[in-house]
Amino acid sequence: MAEAKLRIDKWLWQARFFKTRSLAAKQVSGGHVRLNGNRVLKPAQAVAPGDVLTFPQGRIVRVVRIEKLGERRGPATEAQALYFDMTEKKDTPPKNPSFEGKGRPTKKDRRALDLSRTKEG
């Protein structure tokens, strides 16, 4: 029996990497997705379990190995069972802008600012 295959744009959509199938197809046709290290330009490219996909998602580059093909776009828990995430994890959390003297003032800072304004006037 032939090995089961699925379109790459459909699999990316079912695995919930992209909100719509057309967005997934646009990423593939734009040349931003690699299948086993080779750039893919056609959304109809077939993928099978064991294939490795590399693609940008937001500010990170995702590397995932296809574990199985989905039958539908189900809930997130079902979608996470479709792949194994091989993306390198970064340990450094983003810095909080309030520690750099930027961002919204705290309630204590606002009170001090209000008190300083009432003394001047």
Side-chain angles (χ1 to χ4, degrees):
M1 188 170 133
E3 185 178 348
K5 294 192 176 214
L6 187 67
R7 288 175 57 115
I8 192 168
D9 62 334
K10 193 170 184 178
W11 188 88
L12 287 168
W13 171 70
Q14 286 179 351
R16 294 186 165 264
F17 287 112
F18 296 98
K19 196 169 187 174
T20 64
R21 187 170 163 189
S22 62
L23 283 174
K26 192 180 289 186
Q27 280 289 95
V28 174
S29 59
H32 303 294
V33 179
R34 293 184 178 269
L35 173 64
N36 297 325
N38 301 320
R39 190 178 348 175
V40 179
L41 295 173
K42 295 185 179 184
Q45 174 72 41
V47 294
D51 289 341
V52 177
L53 298 177
T54 307
F55 56 93
Q57 187 180 33
R59 293 179 180 241
I60 62 171
V61 175
R62 300 290 299 261
V63 180
V64 296
R65 183 177 64 232
I66 298 175
E67 295 293 321
K68 58 184 176 178
L69 304 177
E71 296 178 15
R72 66 183 183 119
R73 183 172 192 204
T77 54
E78 188 177 306
Q80 289 170 352
L82 298 178
Y83 62 91
F84 174 72
D85 195 359
M86 301 186 321
T87 307
E88 292 182 14
K89 306 287 189 255
K90 293 192 176 185
D91 293 334
T92 56
K95 293 182 180 179
N96 190 343
S98 66
F99 291 128
E100 298 172 3
K102 300 176 186 174
R104 290 182 60 167
T106 63
K107 191 169 186 176
K108 184 178 179 182
D109 294 337
R110 285 191 310 241
R111 281 193 204 119
L113 186 62
D114 289 343
L115 287 174
S116 68
R117 286 184 183 161
T118 56
K119 289 179 183 176
E120 292 173 10

